[in-house]
Amino acid sequence: MSRLLVASLDRFGPLRDGVRERLAASCLKTETFEPGQVILAAGGRSKLRLLARGLAIKVASLPDGGRQIFALAVPGDLLDLAGLFVGCDHDVRALGPCEVRAVSSGELKAMLQDHPSLLAVLCRAVLTEARVQRNWMASLGRRSAAARTANLLCEIYWRQKSLALAKDGQCALPAVQSDIADALGLSTIHIHRVMRALRDDGLATLRNGLLHIQDWERLSALAAFDPGVLRPQCEHESAGLARLGAET
Amino acid sequence: MSRLLVASLDRFGPLRDGVRERLAASCLKTETFEPGQVILAAGGRSKLRLLARGLAIKVASLPDGGRQIFALAVPGDLLDLAGLFVGCDHDVRALGPCEVRAVSSGELKAMLQDHPSLLAVLCRAVLTEARVQRNWMASLGRRSAAARTANLLCEIYWRQKSLALAKDGQCALPAVQSDIADALGLSTIHIHRVMRALRDDGLATLRNGLLHIQDWERLSALAAFDPGVLRPQCEHESAGLARLGAET
DNA sequence: CGTTCGGTTGATCATCGTCAAGCAGTGTGG
DNA sequence: CCACACTGCTTGACGATGATCAACCGAACG
């Protein structure tokens, strides 16, 4: 039952030397989480956790009581890359109800020892995550509240659509306005104003955990949305060292 | 002459199976760059570039003409981790005059094939960079202009002090106010006002590319500065999978 | 000697945050 | 069945933070 895991890692680079079979045969423990529950606390030991269903957030609590959401995880995403070798510096929380599949710490260790190429694939996954993070940084630093919000909605919709989890311009987004605020570095009330403007302009609505994109063209234009940032590998991958990890 | 490279990578985890000797013997090409010059353009092929002298920034130019600086590199930092397997999504530019040592693409490839543990070390370096990035994200999203600025100055000073590149509260920072602004997501003029307030309060001054920290206590308090974020490995490293990369 | 670049200052304005209050939906206990 | 509380959305008034515009100054440089 690990086809999801294989498919997920496959996006980051070809799996070689039998690691695909090993992954497919690996024993995955399934865990479920309620909305808001902590899936992985800061400092926790890393396993290899894959989000199978639902949405999750990677979030840090700041000393002054504020929260900053660093990333959003959709089904197929690995949840504890940040804690791969070192202690994780942030929490992972379920946004809506979630289902998580976990490879045990021991089995991951064994697989990494037997299949060096697995590390290259995980490394690429980390690099992809870092690239998405940089996109969020540019949003936080240099875009207006409306553009930031639009960009987030576009990203959420796009990623779920890539997984066939969206149709008719609709997808799940079990988040309240304060969650959006914590992701975008804005106040809850201002998010309300922005969302209201988006709704009044017929661009998008968020109600009862359901995101409805009514005018993708105008929304993505407002967001200056670039799907390329989200792709696991960029177009230069075939040049130079790109395939290196797969060849080792 | 690659002791710097060995020392740099050593911070991220023990180098095993002869890779240390191989690195020490590797042929490093030295390049020098003038202030503002592009060291590595977005999309460029990855080698293994190490900043030997000077300060560099990792920066993206946004479609609307704005810039966002994602990270600062001090001597000993690797410059092209983001382009390790995929095309790099941002530029690396010299802030002041820089000296860079580069391992050739071919030699890096050969070393990675011969020494699997090198990849684990690079992977940790990437994870560390991502953690520093998240700290910047939290700054951008949830801190005031003054706290953000103070935090950046603290980080710059702290990292150079760790390398014995600072003394008497002074270190190099060959940046103009608009550079600081692009790092913090603020306007140049507002940076001026914040810097002026810091100066008037006797906390820190920046003049002629020289950063002078006059009151570290109050500055780091204002910044809520946490040096732990900058450390290559965190305190949990010895638990669980932490040493795994070194063991493979 | 003019030009450019970076720092400086002030005035003005927009964006966004804070405070306060009301409202609708939901669940709970009497 | 009805308070009651609770949570999240909504609205408005107000204020602070930070952006924009414009001008000036000093130093470096050709």
Side-chain angles (χ1 to χ4, degrees), chain A residues 131-144:
Chain A
R131 196 162 72 247
V132 175
Q133 258 184 38
R134 281 189 291 271
N135 189 42
W136 282 44
M137 269 180 89
S139 265
L140 285 172
R142 286 294 175 214
R143 287 208 256 264
S144 70

Side-chain angles (χ1 to χ4, degrees), chain A residues 79-98:
Chain A
L79 295 179
D80 44 8
L81 282 175
L84 197 55
F85 295 127
V86 299
C88 189
D89 59 335
H90 55 265
D91 295 336
V92 179
R93 279 177 184 271
L95 201 51
C98 283

Side-chain angles (χ1 to χ4, degrees), chain A residues 31-40 51 53-59 67 72-73 79 91-100 174-175 179:
Chain A
E31 303 167 314
T32 60
F33 295 90
E34 297 304 307
Q37 222 180 332
V38 173
I39 297 176
L40 176 67
L51 185 60
R53 213 164 40 80
L55 297 180
I57 52 175
K58 308 188 182 182
V59 56
R67 295 196 316 161
L72 182 89
L79 295 179
D91 295 336
V92 179
R93 279 177 184 271
L95 201 51
C98 283
E99 195 178 304
V100 174
D179 293 326

Side-chain angles (χ1 to χ4, degrees), chain B residues 145 186-187 189-190 193:
Chain B
L186 297 164
S187 70
I189 297 187
H190 202 66
R193 288 195 276 249

Side-chain angles (χ1 to χ4, degrees), chain B residues 4-179:
Chain B
L4 186 60
L5 180 56
V6 174
S8 170
L9 290 176
D10 243 348
R11 295 179 302 173
F12 297 107
L15 293 162
R16 295 282 173 90
D17 62 351
V19 70
R20 180 193 305 266
E21 292 69 27
R22 177 76 173 269
L23 283 167
S26 68
C27 162
L28 291 190
K29 201 173 62 178
T30 297
E31 303 167 313
T32 61
F33 295 89
E34 296 304 305
Q37 221 180 335
V38 173
I39 297 176
L40 175 67
R45 296 176 51 167
S46 176
K47 301 161 80 173
L48 190 60
R49 261 174 262 248
L50 184 78
L51 185 62
R53 212 164 40 82
L55 296 182
I57 53 175
K58 308 189 181 181
V59 56
S61 298
L62 304 173
D64 64 2
R67 296 194 318 161
Q68 176 66 48
I69 296 177
F70 296 122
L72 182 89
V74 299
D77 284 350
L78 295 169
L79 294 179
D80 45 8
L81 282 175
L84 197 56
F85 296 127
V86 298
C88 189
D89 59 333
H90 56 265
D91 295 336
V92 179
R93 280 178 184 269
L95 201 52
C98 283
E99 194 178 306
V100 174
R101 305 264 164 79
V103 175
S104 78
S105 164
E107 187 157 6
L108 171 59
K109 187 172 171 173
M111 279 195 289
L112 277 169
Q113 278 174 337
D114 297 347
H115 307 283
S117 78
L118 178 58
L119 183 59
V121 170
L122 290 178
C123 195
R124 287 180 186 217
V126 173
L127 287 166
T128 301
E129 191 170 271
R131 196 162 72 246
V132 175
Q133 260 184 34
R134 281 190 290 271
N135 189 42
W136 281 45
M137 270 179 89
S139 264
L140 284 172
R142 287 293 175 214
R143 287 210 256 262
S144 72
R148 261 184 271 186
T149 309
N151 203 354
L152 181 66
L153 299 182
C154 283
E155 177 178 335
I156 290 168
Y157 180 74
W158 184 269
R159 289 172 69 178
Q160 294 197 70
K161 188 165 174 62
S162 308
L163 301 167
L165 291 173
K167 66 171 187 176
D168 302 333
Q170 301 193 350
C171 67
L173 178 53
V176 297
Q177 292 184 340
S178 66
D179 293 326

Side-chain angles (χ1 to χ4, degrees), chain B residues 186-197:
Chain B
L186 297 164
S187 70
T188 305
I189 297 187
H190 202 66
I191 289 297
H192 166 250
R193 288 195 276 249
V194 171
M195 295 295 293
R196 181 181 164 76

